[in-house]
Amino acid sequence: MSAPTDVAIVGGGLAGLTAARTLAAHGVAFTLLEASDGLGGRVRTDEVDGFLLDRGFQVLLTAYPEAQRWLDYGALDLQSFDNGALVFLSGRLHRLADPTRNFFGALPSVLSPIGSLADKVRVLGLRQNVLKPSLDDLWTREDITTRAALTERYGFSTSMLTRFFEPFLGGILLDKQLQASSRAFEFYFRMFSEGQTAVPATGMGAIPAQLADPLPTDAVRLNTRATSVTEGTVEVEHGESVRAKTVLVATEAPAAARLLTGLDAPPSRSVTCAYYAAPTPPIADPILVLDGENAGPVNNLAVMSNVAPSYAADGQALIAATVLGLPDAGNNLLDVRIREHCRTWFGDQADAWTPLRTYRIAHAQPGQVPPALTPPTRPFRLGDGLYVTGDHRTNASINGAMRAGRLAAEAMLADLGVPVLDASVTV
């Protein structure tokens, strides 16, 4: 049995790391227990044959309030996507761009077959509608499905839904049926409208690395899997016990439900991401490509080396193809199907792509079907000395995970009688 600590944190993802940063800033001792060989949870980056592969296609929305609070964007060397998307429909790629950011660049969008002219005007109305209220007011609007919001609240046509919103929001919500919360959709759309979509030059794993950097190294234990949690004690593999005045479970929802009796976990949304090395990039721009025909299996594709050249080995391109869910096909057959699909977009050059790695992520996001986000923040305190956090307590986003970590730590500090300071500026 190890020496007791003030707080035991189970899980070293973004929520656990942000909680640790908050506690450290207030002089509260903690031990962070991470089951895997590295920090970051679902936000990690692997180096494979000179390529940087994020564990699933991920981006940072620079307008996220919690990211602005905690992260040094300059040190991350953020590399941005172009605003808008290329949508494949009827044999070619059509550009949809934001006219409020690039008026002349958006002119071709007006004539594209991706929705009607009225739909494109409605996009401006949607943008204004999500930018006008405070964020608190946005999260307390009536929560309906995203599909209902798009059709009933904003008046978009079926064509606009199937050709743009289903692949675009489907890739964000991991829900092509658009049954997820309208509160989440409107928050994300606001974040896209206010800031940039970016990745760190060294991969998304730079985000948890930056969060962890100021923490005491002896307070973080990797390869330490918790097997049970009770008030004051965390049992880990090989029979060890970690004692603490307070225990915070900061894992993804299914793991939290296994550790905490009576905690309900929302259903998980899953996703698959296949990475390819290519001799040449299939498009020239750092922009997202969407399947406007629902032909599958690829929902969206990005040439990551167009966005961040550092992601690719010298002289090659890195392509990330996203498939929603966990396909029954094995990786070899899935590769054949992805290439067949991409051949309709880019021609025979897809035959020259070399598979690098395929990530199948069973729990990529907690489900957010209404009323999952009512209220928008769920309780963190489960009992005396026992707390839970993670994006399943707020919303499925980098912002949601970091906010959940901070709020859970602040709840613990309040119970400990420690005045809460702005923990984001220092350790």
Side-chain angles (χ1 to χ4, degrees), residues 50-128:
F51 294 86
L52 298 178
L53 311 183
D54 296 326
R55 295 191 180 182
F57 174 66
Q58 305 173 44
V59 296
L60 173 67
L61 303 185
T62 61
Y64 280 152
E66 291 294 326
Q68 293 177 356
R69 173 190 289 262
W70 291 99
L71 300 177
D72 180 345
Y73 285 178
L76 289 176
D77 191 13
L78 295 177
Q79 311 290 300
S80 296
F81 284 76
D82 281 357
N83 295 302
L86 294 175
V87 183
F88 185 83
L89 183 70
S90 302
R92 57 174 292 226
L93 293 169
H94 303 268
R95 183 180 291 268
L96 283 184
D98 184 348
T100 65
R101 302 194 189 212
N102 183 355
F103 177 78
F104 293 105
L107 289 179
S109 303
V110 176
L111 302 176
S112 78
I114 314 301
S116 65
L117 178 59
D119 283 320
K120 288 149 190 170
V121 173
R122 291 184 187 109
V123 171
L124 296 177
L126 165 60
R127 188 178 189 277
Q128 181 63 24

Side-chain angles (χ1 to χ4, degrees), residues 117-186:
L117 178 59
D119 283 320
K120 288 149 190 170
V121 173
R122 291 184 187 109
V123 171
L124 296 177
L126 165 60
R127 188 178 189 277
Q128 181 63 24
N129 191 278
V130 299
L131 288 174
K132 186 176 181 180
S134 68
L135 277 176
D136 287 342
D137 288 343
L138 199 66
W139 280 111
T140 55
R141 283 182 173 175
E142 179 188 6
D143 196 15
I144 56 180
T145 68
T146 295
R147 183 173 294 275
L150 289 168
T151 56
E152 300 167 16
R153 189 174 288 172
Y154 298 108
F156 288 105
S157 69
T158 299
S159 170
M160 189 66 171
L161 261 68
T162 57
R163 295 177 177 181
F164 174 69
F165 283 115
E166 286 182 4
F168 178 64
L169 294 175
I172 297 166
L173 302 165
L174 305 186
D175 170 23
K176 205 161 188 175
Q177 301 306 311
L178 304 183
Q179 296 303 301
S181 162
S182 61
R183 290 177 173 177
F185 145 61
E186 290 178 339

Side-chain angles (χ1 to χ4, degrees), residues 155-358:
F156 288 105
S157 69
T158 299
S159 170
M160 189 66 171
L161 261 68
T162 57
R163 295 177 177 181
F164 174 69
F165 283 115
E166 286 182 4
F168 178 64
L169 294 175
I172 297 166
L173 302 165
L174 305 186
D175 170 23
K176 205 161 188 175
Q177 301 306 311
L178 304 183
Q179 296 303 301
S181 162
S182 61
R183 290 177 173 177
F185 145 61
E186 290 178 339
F187 171 71
Y188 300 143
F189 206 85
R190 175 170 173 151
M191 295 296 100
F192 279 107
S193 299
E194 284 186 335
Q196 298 296 317
T197 303
V199 293
T202 57
M204 291 293 287
I207 293 173
Q210 190 180 97
L211 285 173
D213 185 62
L215 298 177
T217 56
D218 60 355
V220 177
R221 295 177 54 184
L222 302 178
N223 300 304
T224 307
R225 184 178 300 276
T227 57
S228 69
V229 170
T230 57
E231 293 177 10
T233 304
V234 180
E235 301 289 342
V236 300
E237 286 181 332
H238 311 302
E240 183 187 355
S241 297
V242 176
R243 292 176 296 156
K245 298 175 185 177
T246 301
V247 177
L248 172 65
V249 175
T251 66
E252 59 190 29
R258 289 193 296 270
L259 292 170
L260 297 167
T261 302
L263 183 72
D264 293 328
S268 295
R269 291 287 178 183
S270 56
V271 72
T272 300
C273 181
Y275 284 102
Y276 293 89
T280 57
I283 59 172
D285 298 330
I287 194 168
L288 192 66
V289 181
L290 302 175
D291 176 20
E293 297 181 328
N294 195 24
V298 178
N299 179 75
N300 54 274
L301 177 145
V303 182
M304 297 304 298
S305 49
N306 286 354
V307 182
S310 50
Y311 265 58
D314 289 344
Q316 299 186 71
L318 176 65
I319 297 165
T322 298
V323 178
L324 301 184
L326 302 175
D328 293 334
N331 288 353
N332 290 339
L333 180 56
L334 180 61
D335 169 54
V336 170
R337 293 175 177 173
I338 288 173
R339 289 171 188 272
E340 288 176 346
H341 189 190
C342 290
R343 198 176 294 117
T344 65
W345 295 1
F346 308 121
D348 293 343
Q349 64 177 294
D351 295 332
W353 297 356
T354 301
L356 291 170
R357 184 172 291 181
T358 297

